[in-house]
Amino acid sequence: MANAEWIEKSKASFMNTYGRYPAVMVEGRGCLLKDADGREYLDCLAGIAVCSLGHCHPAITEAICRQASTLVHVSNLYHTIPQTELAELLINHSFADRVFLANSGAEANEAAIKLARKASPDGKYEIISLAGSFHGRTLATVAATGQSKFQQGFAPMPQGFRHAPFDDIAALEAMIAPETCAILCEPLQGEGGVLPLAPEYLAAIRQLCDRHGLLLIFDEIQVGMGRTGTLFAYEQCGVTPDILTLAKALGNGLPIGAMLARESVAKAFEPGSHASTFGGNPVACAAAVTVLRLMLAEGFLAEVRAKGNYLAERLTGLADKYPAIASPARGLGLIQGLPLTETWLDKGPDIVNRLFAKGVLLNFAGGKALRCLPPLIISRAEINQLIQALDEVFAELSQ
Ligand SMILES: *Cc1c(COP(=O)(O)O)cnc(C)c1O
């Protein structure tokens, strides 16, 4: 069967939660995807920052197959080797002393919210997050998300979440109340439109937390795991959180999330405090262990930084050429955004559709910026291909 028939079946079967592009993806290798009609695409989204080592990386596929033929699931009533190896790797390469494994980003954030409340004295419960943020789609994480469109229709929201205006440290401090226990933020807002938080802003948030006895939670679900050119984004801003959440690229496509914390915070959890049936699944963990080993190999992250600079430079070249683009590319490493000018914002989806028709996958984040999230293994030649396609689309639309 080709694209059209599968799409018809798919549309008849699923709840209407996704607006999808007209392609049924059947195969992936590296930065390339192939659909059921045999069309090829240059994937500059990587399954939304998930397949960072490319589609079907041979070493990860091998680890998955090996683990799948050895042990697939036993629950967390027993120890397993892959999840212990993964936890050790995460601890050895971060500030954290302890790990909790979940199955998705939203679940990792749920765990972080629960830990922050449990670790806070005197029943403090409130979490302040930032306008424009995205933290997931479960009720608590949607309440933490600082974009009202994700909350519409789902009232009442769980209590204990408030949103501070973006980049306004005085307003944030003014919101801290006796019941506040933590500040939650992404070091770089991904879904919000590829918006990095300035290092001084992050440092000021850290100081607020220290001064008021609050925990600092970084949601690095999108920007962790090498995306910004260091294993974790916090390494670059010089600010260390108390709790860190990861998911997207951790399993290179297998569903897995992680919540990391310092011992002084983590010790609030005891047996029974929190759990997950599937969390730390051996197959997902075997994939994640391989992901970490590949990302930590000599030269890998330096190459991500170099290619990130190259991509930013080439995107900024387009920004100089087309008035439709509001400013130089913004981002860190291989998450880069091209913000559109006010009058061009409604053309964002059209730009993405035209790129799709040319066989290049990108998206439009937060109604603000075209977002590039290519696999970290993308080549300079493939970056050139992306730039060429963007150049053609902006030329067509600027006529
Ligand atoms: C994707 C994302 C989430 C939610 O992850 P899911 O795996 O979809 O639940 C949370 N926070 C950020 C920053 C994300 O980018």
Side-chain angles (χ1 to χ4, degrees), residues 308-330 336-339 383-384 386-388 390-392 394-395 398:
N309 289 339
Y310 180 65
L311 174 61
E313 216 173 88
R314 296 293 320 266
L315 288 171
T316 296
L318 292 177
D320 292 341
K321 189 165 165 188
Y322 296 105
I325 302 168
S327 72
R330 64 187 187 209
Q336 292 289 337
L338 264 189
I383 292 175
N384 292 343
L386 161 66
I387 298 298
Q388 173 68 30
L390 276 166
D391 200 346
E392 287 171 18
F394 277 110
S398 301

Side-chain angles (χ1 to χ4, degrees), residues 103-110 135-136 141 219 221 245-248 256-257:
N103 309 286
S104 67
E107 271 185 71
N109 279 342
E110 287 271 350
H135 298 296
T141 58
D219 175 345
I221 288 164
T245 54
L246 301 171
K248 291 192 162 89
I256 183 167

Side-chain angles (χ1 to χ4, degrees), residues 110-260:
E110 287 271 350
I113 292 163
K114 286 178 76 176
L115 179 62
R117 287 185 177 182
K118 194 132 197 324
S120 297
D122 313 321
K124 293 180 182 208
Y125 61 87
E126 186 182 77
I127 306 221
I128 303 179
S129 53
L130 301 182
S133 62
F134 181 80
H135 298 296
R137 301 289 204 140
T138 60
L139 273 175
T141 58
V142 112
T145 290
Q147 301 181 65
S148 58
K149 66 176 178 192
F150 292 108
Q151 302 171 351
Q152 248 138 50
F154 303 118
M157 282 293 114
Q159 289 179 7
F161 298 93
R162 282 203 295 162
H163 307 112
F166 187 81
D167 210 14
D168 185 342
I169 200 74
L172 178 59
E173 181 157 32
M175 285 176 71
I176 296 170
E179 59 272 16
T180 307
C181 71
I183 296 177
L184 164 64
C185 62
E186 303 153 87
L188 182 161
Q189 293 188 345
E191 298 306 307
V194 192
L195 210 54
L197 277 62
E200 310 80 61
Y201 181 34
L202 286 165
I205 293 176
R206 175 76 263 180
Q207 281 167 11
L208 278 190
C209 286
D210 294 342
R211 194 140 24 97
H212 295 269
L214 311 179
L215 295 170
L216 178 58
I217 309 171
F218 275 0
D219 175 345
E220 291 208 21
I221 288 164
Q222 185 159 154
V223 298
M225 298 307 296
R227 175 57 56 186
T228 63
T230 46
L231 190 59
F232 305 113
Y234 77 81
E235 297 170 50
Q236 282 179 67
C237 57
V239 173
T240 306
D242 303 297
I243 301 176
L244 178 75
T245 54
L246 301 171
K248 291 192 162 89
L250 182 55
N252 206 57
L254 287 211
I256 183 167
M259 189 268 289
L260 285 63

Side-chain angles (χ1 to χ4, degrees), residues 75-86:
S75 87
N76 285 303
L77 295 175
Y78 309 97
H79 301 267
T80 70
I81 296 167
Q83 65 169 234
T84 308
E85 285 179 338
L86 174 59

Side-chain angles (χ1 to χ4, degrees), residues 343-364:
T343 54
W344 273 72
L345 290 181
D346 60 344
K347 294 209 181 70
D350 187 25
I351 294 171
V352 174
N353 282 326
R354 284 168 186 255
L355 286 166
F356 175 84
K358 291 178 188 295
V360 173
L361 306 184
L362 261 201
N363 84 341
F364 187 53

